[in-house]
Amino acid sequence: MVTPMDPTALGFLLAENRRMPMHVGGLQLFEPPPDAGEDYVREMYQQMRATDEVAPLFRKRPYRSVKTGGQYVWIDDDEFDIDYHVRHNALPQPGRPRELMELVSHLHSTRMARERPLWEWHLIEGLRDGRVAMYAKLHHALVDGVSANRLLQSVLTTDPDQRGMPAPWAARPRARAARAQEQAERSLASLPLSVLRQALGVAVDAAGLPKALYTTLSRSLRNQTSALALYAPRTILNQKITGARRFAAQDWPVERLRAIGKASGTTINDVVLAMCSGAMRDYLLALDELPETSLISMVPVGLRAKESQVASAEGGNAVGSVMVQLGTQLADPLDRLQAVHRSMRDGKEALASMTPMQILAMSALGQVPAVLPTMLKLGGVPKPPYNLIISNVPGPRVTHYFNGARLVGNYPLSIPIDGMALNITCTSYDGRMDFGLTGCRRSVPHLQRILTHLDDALVELEQAVGV
Amino acid sequence: MVTPMDPTALGFLLAENRRMPMHVGGLQLFEPPPDAGEDYVREMYQQMRATDEVAPLFRKRPYRSVKTGGQYVWIDDDEFDIDYHVRHNALPQPGRPRELMELVSHLHSTRMARERPLWEWHLIEGLRDGRVAMYAKLHHALVDGVSANRLLQSVLTTDPDQRGMPAPWAARPRARAARAQEQAERSLASLPLSVLRQALGVAVDAAGLPKALYTTLSRSLRNQTSALALYAPRTILNQKITGARRFAAQDWPVERLRAIGKASGTTINDVVLAMCSGAMRDYLLALDELPETSLISMVPVGLRAKESQVASAEGGNAVGSVMVQLGTQLADPLDRLQAVHRSMRDGKEALASMTPMQILAMSALGQVPAVLPTMLKLGGVPKPPYNLIISNVPGPRVTHYFNGARLVGNYPLSIPIDGMALNITCTSYDGRMDFGLTGCRRSVPHLQRILTHLDDALVELEQAVGV
């Protein structure tokens, strides 16, 4: 079965190289159920790989030949081998979170072979606290980050006693997972890029697409001042990257963030950004690399359908983006929080006043952050438009389970690119705010130290507002 | 640094596809020294990856562009990342040999990305008996199987107290490892293919090479009857393969094989082949797939330099090959042993009487078994020239150590190809005969059962000759 490839998916394939693999990831931590036996993980693995029928999304692979005119299309992999995609891993001793992060960093570093469907799923045992990890790797040409997260969640349940649950890649007619799979496909196909393409009548052509987009973006962005501070300082985060990745993850109680927001008249999202601001300030100070002017973060924000005019009928992932001044030049944590709050508010107001075409352009920048700068060659400009990307994606609020195993952590992995070596993605789950930091291992030295700085920043904010 | 690529290396790259990755492997088992602490494996890993300078053989990668006329050349990888190549793995519980074989089978299944140097090295902990495994993966375009084995051995020592030993990939002027690295490069470059090419004046041309070779081979082989029984029965081993591999390994005391040889007037190599014969008979019988006529095994044999006229000055890997009738149609183990012995003796005599050109052709078939049938499209013919490949490569006779860890097992992994789904490679070490079976997971079902059949065959032979 041959299906055409959406230009957005094509863009991710064309933008990819060994230094910039274009896949997103998800790390999930589970506590096995009380009745789990010695063979619990092995049995789970056997059950997952014994999937009868694999959904089309997970069977298709990119293909091009003379017959397809040299263009990429999707074809069904007629030699599909589940054992290539679903793997059982273990951690070296002593099985600390550190060993888990090392393994996941490594798995997230390697580019996927295009001769096979573009996904991997790893079951990981050997954590000394008895927890079990799952790392999922999905190419951005298959799904976007939000859909990937939704897909992984779609197979979970709130019922701790439910068993016999299917894998995310199982074909399941009329089930929630099937809908999530469909939406993932549709959501990618309905991304701003393709809307833009239609709006502009751009030919589906790898060469023409970036130029047309660039023109549109430039035109839209020139009129913006408050929301679009395209003059970020140059930092170590904004250089050419290597193919090696480092991933670090940690979570904090949402309640602590909410208390700070309440006491200071800011939102939880503002507090997340202020934590990142304080952490990046401390991190860059320690490296003697803090710029004199504020770091600017690109922050994707949700748009209501009537604002965006690009939301799909299913209420898909229409997002715009705001360029937030993080206030990293300010020594006082409260000053930073207020700077973030103001910048975010101004940005959202500006977004609300933008024309649909401007929102489309912004949406493109927000929705496909990983590929656009590459395609627009923004990575090579002396002044980066922003210094890093911080996303905050809402997740489920109540405890979820997979075959009786309790989900206790859910950390997103993202895509660093040239000129944008660090990506922070947060997702809330069950009263915790889970932070996932994905960076180039060489450009962002000692990335894991940012976790300590995040913790310090949270404590500082609490002290500053007196909670 | 750009260096031209030898046509043999090129042949392996061109013959490779996702179903037929063209890398060899080695699995080594070590017992840690008595003074090994808790962090022994981690420290070994850190020491290995901290290699100051990596030898050229391990830094080069294939490259082609318009500038190279679309032809592959070797270039030095200027973004070389040791962490991509040297990895620290662990086995899932319970850490039996079975889990090790599963991991190694998986690692051996995946094709290496050409955008990087074509090798990987995995340190594997988590065996429940406390042993440590190393799995090395080297593309056949870099080294041939014999050189790979020699390379891995070159860093070992007979001194249990020696420490601070370098990794196989470390650049070491004038050391044994450096010589092994050089020989590996030269040995591949001096393989019969290139000699043939020179002898025949064949253009270095992917399209022309197979045809010229085919003509030469056909001409040489037509005159042979005893050594070259190119009429093997069709079996399940001789079909199209998939990209999934299964590896199984086990060892037996050489003394047991020697005793059988002594009592029956045969060689240790004959006994190895008779074990394989008995095992394949039982294995195929159980599957109701035993052909009425004898299985034929291609067996590479060493040639003295004056016979081969192709040996390098260093006494390299000049080998010819003999087509051995395994006698699998015979129910009596002693009949099979004698059939193997006669067939081997006749084959060697025929080899001795061959012209240099015929030996060259045979050598090509023996030296590069993995690539030739593919290039000659022998894999597609209704009658395969032989049913499987059984190699027996002599290894070190005394105990060897790596940084105090005692080498207790050394198992080669080889390359199944279309029409040749199973490869058995043996190597002797420290009084043991180590068998490594590499097969296509789908074409050779329950491959690991052949180990039991090998053990049964050995016992049968002992009973038959009364030792």
Side-chain angles (χ1 to χ4, degrees), chain A residues 200 202 205-219 372 375-376:
Chain A
L200 301 170
V202 175
D205 166 38
L209 196 58
K211 192 178 179 318
L213 251 176
Y214 186 72
T215 311
T216 313
L217 273 172
S218 308
R219 202 182 301 133
L372 265 184
M375 294 176 78
L376 298 177

Side-chain angles (χ1 to χ4, degrees), chain A residues 18-19 42 77 79-81 83-84 87-88 90-93 99 106 111 115 125 244 441-442, chain B residues 18-19 42 77 79-81 83 87-88 90-93 99 106 110-111 115 125 244 441-442:
Chain A
R18 85 180 239 198
R19 291 186 301 104
R42 175 161 302 276
D77 183 10
E79 299 184 45
F80 183 81
D81 177 15
D83 288 336
Y84 183 87
R87 306 184 193 168
H88 186 180
L91 298 179
Q93 290 294 324
E99 278 72 38
H106 177 75
R111 180 178 166 185
E115 58 199 11
E125 65 173 64
R441 196 165 57 215
R442 292 199 196 170
Chain B
R18 87 180 237 197
R19 291 186 301 104
R42 175 160 301 274
D77 182 9
E79 300 184 45
F80 183 80
D81 177 13
D83 288 338
R87 305 184 195 169
H88 186 180
L91 298 179
Q93 289 294 324
E99 277 74 38
H106 177 76
T110 57
R111 180 178 167 186
E115 58 199 10
E125 66 173 63
R441 195 165 58 214
R442 291 199 196 170

Side-chain angles (χ1 to χ4, degrees), chain B residues 57-248:
Chain B
L57 181 65
F58 293 90
R59 279 200 321 260
K60 69 181 184 183
R61 69 176 184 90
Y63 174 78
R64 63 176 167 185
S65 73
V66 173
K67 272 194 269 182
T68 69
Q71 297 297 307
Y72 272 114
V73 294
W74 292 113
I75 59 165
D76 208 58
D77 182 9
D78 56 5
E79 300 184 45
F80 183 80
D81 177 13
I82 189 90
D83 288 338
Y84 183 86
H85 302 276
V86 180
R87 305 184 195 169
H88 186 180
N89 296 264
L91 298 179
Q93 289 294 324
R96 297 162 298 181
R98 179 181 169 165
E99 277 74 38
L100 176 63
M101 291 305 145
E102 276 176 11
L103 175 61
V104 171
S105 298
H106 177 76
L107 293 174
H108 201 66
S109 297
T110 57
R111 180 178 167 186
M112 284 187 280
R114 290 190 186 173
E115 58 199 10
R116 305 199 183 244
L118 297 168
W119 64 280
E120 292 172 16
W121 185 89
H122 298 260
L123 182 61
I124 303 165
E125 66 173 63
L127 274 162
R128 63 177 169 187
D129 59 13
R131 291 186 297 178
V132 177
M134 295 183 189
Y135 163 73
K137 182 171 174 179
L138 291 151
H139 201 281
H140 212 319
L142 276 189
V143 294
D144 63 89
V146 173
S147 299
N149 199 20
R150 194 181 292 157
L151 201 56
L152 293 176
Q153 281 169 29
S154 71
V155 293
L156 304 178
T157 173
T158 54
D159 177 3
D161 298 321
Q162 197 176 325
R163 295 292 189 279
M165 294 164 68
W169 50 88
R172 295 199 306 155
R174 288 181 308 280
R176 194 157 63 105
R179 282 203 306 278
Q181 286 164 1
E182 273 169 33
Q183 276 175 21
E185 292 214 73
R186 204 179 306 124
S187 135
L188 192 73
S190 69
L191 276 180
L193 263 182
S194 57
V195 177
L196 258 183
R197 178 177 57 79
Q198 287 158 15
L200 302 171
V202 175
V204 185
D205 166 36
L209 197 59
K211 192 178 181 320
L213 250 176
Y214 186 72
T215 309
T216 313
L217 274 171
S218 307
R219 203 182 300 133
S220 304
L221 303 186
R222 264 202 301 274
N223 299 326
Q224 302 301 323
T225 49
S226 60
L228 304 169
L230 287 184
Y231 300 99
R234 195 142 187 77
T235 72
I236 56 164
L237 305 177
N238 310 110
Q239 53 180 316
K240 206 173 167 189
I241 62 168
T242 72
R245 297 286 166 271
R246 183 87 74 193
F247 178 65

Side-chain angles (χ1 to χ4, degrees), chain A residues 233-251:
Chain A
R234 194 144 188 76
T235 72
I236 56 166
L237 305 178
N238 309 110
Q239 52 181 317
K240 207 173 166 188
I241 62 168
T242 72
R245 296 286 166 271
R246 183 86 75 193
F247 178 65
Q250 195 166 326
D251 51 85

Side-chain angles (χ1 to χ4, degrees), chain B residues 27-28 40 95 110 136 159 165 213 230 243 257-258 299 307 340 344 351 358 406 409 429 436:
Chain B
L27 175 65
Q28 297 181 310
Y40 177 76
T110 57
D159 177 3
M165 294 164 68
L213 250 176
L230 287 184
L257 279 67
R258 186 179 288 121
V299 181
E307 280 172 356
V340 162
M344 193 71 195
L351 208 57
Q358 287 167 336
R406 180 168 162 245
Y429 164 68

